[in-house]
Amino acid sequence: MALSALEYSFLFFATLYFVSIRQWRQNKKNITLPPGPPRKPIVGNLFDIPQHKSWLKFSEWHKQHGDLVYVEALGNKILVLNTMKAVNDLLVDRANIYSDRPTFTMVGELMGLENSLALSPYGPTLRQHRKLCHVAFSPEAVKKYHGIQEEAITMYLKEIIEMPQNFVKQLRLTAGRIIMSVTYGIPASTPDDVYIVEAEETMEMIGKSTVPGAHLVDLLPILRLLPSWFPYNSIPRVAKYGRDLIWSMISRPYEAVKVDRSTGTALPSFVADCLDLFESGDMALSTEDADHLIRWAAGAMYGAGAETTYATILSFMIAMVKFPDVQKKLQEEIDRVIGSDRLPTVQDRPNLPYVNAAIKEALRWRPALPFSIARKLKEDDVYNGYLIPKGTIVMPNVWTISVDNESGIPPEQFAPERFLEQNAGKTAQDPTSYAFGFGRRICPGRHLGETNLFLLISGLSATVDIGGPVDMKNDPRLFDAEYTSGLVSHPKPYELKITPRSQEIATFVKERAEAV
Ligand code: HEM
């Protein structure tokens, strides 16, 4: 029987395809895993990876093993990327297989958090989440939140002028109020922080649950199938507690927006923008699906947006104590450009190069997410001759990437000068290219986040002197902040001496805050 030309071509290409797949599989057997410290049977490198600040250990391994460091822990495969080139080659250029998130059985599957934007697997739902963010958090769309951000930060400045000892607690509240206001339109000036209290409680529970080893079921997912009557099985009870807490945190403010919209009293917000988008018919979703999507997209914002801002500013304040010359230069620039009778606004940003350089330096000096947020590889991959197996957890080592060995200024120094025009070309990598993540999962709140940093850094510099802690006799005390080791690494609460730069400034900040 004679075959047609079409059938011949089909057979030819099919044979070529199968032969190349076989060849590829054979080659793969000869391909080695990326380098890393030697692994022990079963536990792998479990006991080589420190629980505290593990990014420092990976930075050491970077020097020994190179740009890729591969480790295993109890069968979990982990690849750490230590350079921007490796990050760009994999997370950006091969985004279709490197944009998934690792799974957590307890908090993700059993408590439901895998529905949320930040933990959502890479697929059609994530693309819809990202579309909502693209519309609601574009550089143009976030302009409508500038007023909210300015007001919340004015209130923060008033609070720390009046009660400087509360600067840490108030910073946390301020970051939370801004996110709640932007996400749900809850006024930042509301004295009732009921949503924030609930969100903080939920975030604490999630933080504890995502520490490796916190739940046995994460190591042995099969345990989730045990019936609830099984002796000593606390999994269903813990899962229900977490699920209820998360559901309440994401649903109460969301339902409130829907009620406010029905009465025409809703303030601008991410949720309101998303509901508008759905109602415009632009999303081709059922009401139920849109409801689910928007609720869980909005529910990710607090966790992702509040603690990162808090961490970056707490580190900035430490830098002001350790590098008083930088504080002086910031104050001088603000006094020269803005004067001392008003607070900086977003419109002033283009005229304040030193403040802008200080934002970059704050993102670089102590990155809030030293390992960014981990990815999971969807299928086997080969890079630089190494096999990276499917399911590998891939972590960009932002800590190592942020070490500036190019500008000639010691990396430990907090020096905005690295990013001034005079150093352009010989300076370090721009931190905005790594601090907010990469590729298809890059932080959707980065424009909003940067504005928070601008208003806080310029507002603090305009109004207060930040000094180290003092003893009863007003003598300086030794000062070194400790950092937490979770996903977000922030300084543990510490003391500072914060004083208004002048009585006039204290008065106008108070008047301005009262007007809010
Ligand atoms: C200083 C401020 C901030 C920093 C340093 C920061 C950093 C990051 C980083 C490193 C990621 C991981 C990206 C990746 O996987 O490649 C991320 C994700 C995310 N951020 Fe931010 N962020 C900040 C502020 C915000 C704000 C203000 C919001 C919201 C209003 C926000 C919302 C999110 C969300 C929803 C994700 C998850 C995206 C996804 O999984 O696709 N972030 N952020």
Side-chain angles (χ1 to χ4, degrees):
M1 186 185 63
L3 294 176
S4 71
L6 191 70
E7 284 163 333
Y8 264 125
S9 329
F10 175 76
L11 270 180
F12 175 76
F13 284 114
T15 314
L16 198 67
Y17 176 75
F18 286 114
V19 167
S20 33
I21 290 275
R22 246 185 85 199
Q23 188 63 44
W24 184 70
R25 287 213 172 115
Q26 260 169 8
N27 288 347
K28 227 173 55 175
K29 284 193 190 134
N30 303 325
I31 298 176
T32 54
L33 293 166
R39 295 180 286 281
K40 296 188 183 68
I42 305 175
V43 290
N45 304 103
L46 184 68
F47 300 113
D48 303 328
I49 307 171
Q51 289 273 317
H52 189 57
K53 292 187 172 179
S54 52
W55 47 90
L56 297 180
K57 187 76 198 170
F58 278 98
S59 296
E60 252 175 56
W61 282 334
H62 171 213
K63 288 181 199 129
Q64 283 171 34
H65 303 288
D67 297 353
L68 308 183
V69 174
Y70 179 84
V71 291
E72 282 183 12
L74 292 174
N76 293 298
K77 309 171 201 70
I78 301 165
L79 178 71
V80 173
L81 310 176
N82 289 306
T83 59
M84 265 313 259
K85 172 156 174 31
V87 169
N88 282 330
D89 286 350
L90 300 182
L91 305 196
V92 180
D93 293 349
R94 302 184 191 177
N96 55 329
I97 53 170
Y98 280 90
S99 297
D100 226 348
R101 293 278 189 224
T103 39
F104 293 92
T105 308
M106 177 54 92
V107 83
E109 186 186 328
L110 301 178
M111 294 185 184
L113 212 63
E114 66 191 2
N115 291 301
S116 105
L117 199 176
L119 285 193
S120 181
Y122 183 62
T125 308
L126 179 77
R127 278 193 284 277
Q128 285 169 329
H129 273 147
R130 303 276 324 187
K131 181 176 174 185
L132 296 177
C133 292
H134 190 70
V135 173
F137 283 158
S138 69
E140 197 50 39
V142 294
K143 283 186 184 160
K144 61 175 172 289
Y145 303 122
H146 289 169
I148 291 170
Q149 292 170 287
E150 286 168 2
E151 288 181 358
I153 288 162
T154 306
M155 282 160 46
Y156 176 61
L157 297 173
K158 172 191 166 252
E159 271 148 13
I160 63 165
I161 285 174
E162 287 178 349
M163 276 186 275
Q165 69 279 17
N166 287 349
F167 76 98
V168 173
K169 185 175 154 224
Q170 289 298 338
L171 180 63
R172 184 125 203 161
L173 265 180
T174 303
R177 283 175 181 153
I178 294 174
I179 297 291
M180 280 298 175
S181 192
V182 166
T183 310
Y184 301 104
I186 297 159
S189 53
T190 175
D192 181 6
D193 287 318
V194 56
Y195 294 122
I196 295 192
V197 172
E198 186 168 34
E200 285 287 318
E201 191 189 340
T202 314
M203 292 322 302
E204 200 185 324
M205 184 278 294
I206 294 173
K208 284 185 187 154
S209 299
T210 43
V211 171
H215 297 287
L216 195 57
V217 69
D218 285 325
L219 298 174
L220 291 171
I222 193 143
L223 292 180
R224 74 194 187 291
L225 303 177
L226 284 177
S228 54
W229 50 261
F230 197 84
Y232 304 110
N233 178 14
S234 61
I235 297 169
R237 184 178 43 78
V238 174
K240 181 175 177 335
Y241 166 75
R243 206 168 44 241
D244 291 350
L245 207 58
I246 293 171
W247 184 252
S248 174
M249 172 200 162
I250 66 166
S251 296
R252 285 214 295 164
Y254 176 72
E255 296 299 340
V257 180
K258 290 210 298 189
V259 171
D260 288 351
R261 280 180 104 241
S262 66
T263 55
T265 54
L267 293 174
S269 68
F270 172 80
V271 167
D273 278 356
C274 293
L275 290 169
D276 286 346
L277 190 72
F278 165 63
E279 283 162 16
S280 71
D282 203 24
M283 291 204 62
L285 285 175
S286 69
T287 310
E288 210 176 60
D289 287 348
D291 201 64
H292 182 81
L293 193 76
I294 299 170
R295 187 188 301 260
W296 282 100
M301 298 308 163
Y302 192 91
E307 210 170 355
T308 39
T309 306
Y310 168 79
T312 312
I313 295 300
L314 278 191
S315 291
F316 167 79
M317 290 167 109
I318 294 172
M320 292 304 94
V321 178
K322 292 187 178 253
F323 301 92
D325 287 357
V326 174
Q327 183 170 191
K328 279 215 168 62
K329 287 186 197 168
L330 284 166
Q331 293 177 339
E332 274 162 21
E333 182 176 80
I334 297 214
D335 293 350
R336 183 168 34 79
V337 177
I338 292 175
S340 52
D341 56 354
R342 72 174 178 88
L343 287 173
T345 67
V346 179
Q347 276 73 39
D348 296 312
R349 193 168 169 191
N351 306 321
L352 296 168
Y354 199 72
V355 173
N356 284 309
I359 297 172
K360 292 186 182 190
E361 185 65 343
L363 290 166
R364 185 203 70 87
W365 190 60
R366 296 283 183 266
L369 289 142
F371 271 141
S372 201
I373 303 183
R375 312 292 183 86
K376 193 175 74 178
L377 179 59
K378 249 183 174 354
E379 54 187 62
D380 283 358
D381 191 24
V382 175
Y383 176 64
N384 282 357
Y386 296 117
L387 169 71
I388 309 173
K390 174 181 173 180
T392 299
I393 293 169
V394 182
M395 315 208 330
N397 192 349
V398 169
W399 180 270
T400 305
I401 293 171
S402 71
V403 175
D404 163 28
N405 288 319
E406 335 244 312
S407 65
I409 305 171
E412 241 322 286
Q413 213 169 311
F414 186 96
E417 284 71 12
R418 286 175 224 280
F419 304 109
L420 289 181
E421 218 171 306
Q422 73 235 30
N423 280 330
K426 60 174 178 165
T427 196
Q429 189 87 242
D430 184 339
T432 52
S433 69
Y434 54 76
F436 293 106
F438 314 92
R440 295 190 195 163
R441 300 224 60 153
I442 195 169
C443 172
R446 60 197 182 282
H447 307 297
L448 202 84
E450 261 201 62
T451 304
N452 279 341
L453 299 184
F454 167 75
L455 290 171
L456 279 161
I457 289 178
S458 60
L460 286 165
S461 307
T463 55
V464 291
D465 285 320
I466 301 174
V470 285
D471 64 16
M472 306 280 265
K473 289 192 213 141
N474 223 14
D475 289 332
R477 277 201 285 121
L478 213 61
F479 169 69
D480 210 0
E482 253 188 82
Y483 275 73
T484 60
S485 285
L487 177 67
V488 178
S489 171
H490 59 75
K492 292 187 179 163
Y494 55 86
E495 285 174 39
L496 287 182
K497 185 175 180 220
I498 297 178
T499 40
R501 287 183 60 201
S502 70
Q503 195 43 52
E504 293 72 46
I505 289 178
T507 310
F508 90 67
V509 170
K510 200 167 167 228
E511 283 167 7
R512 175 81 183 82
E514 271 156 16
V516 169

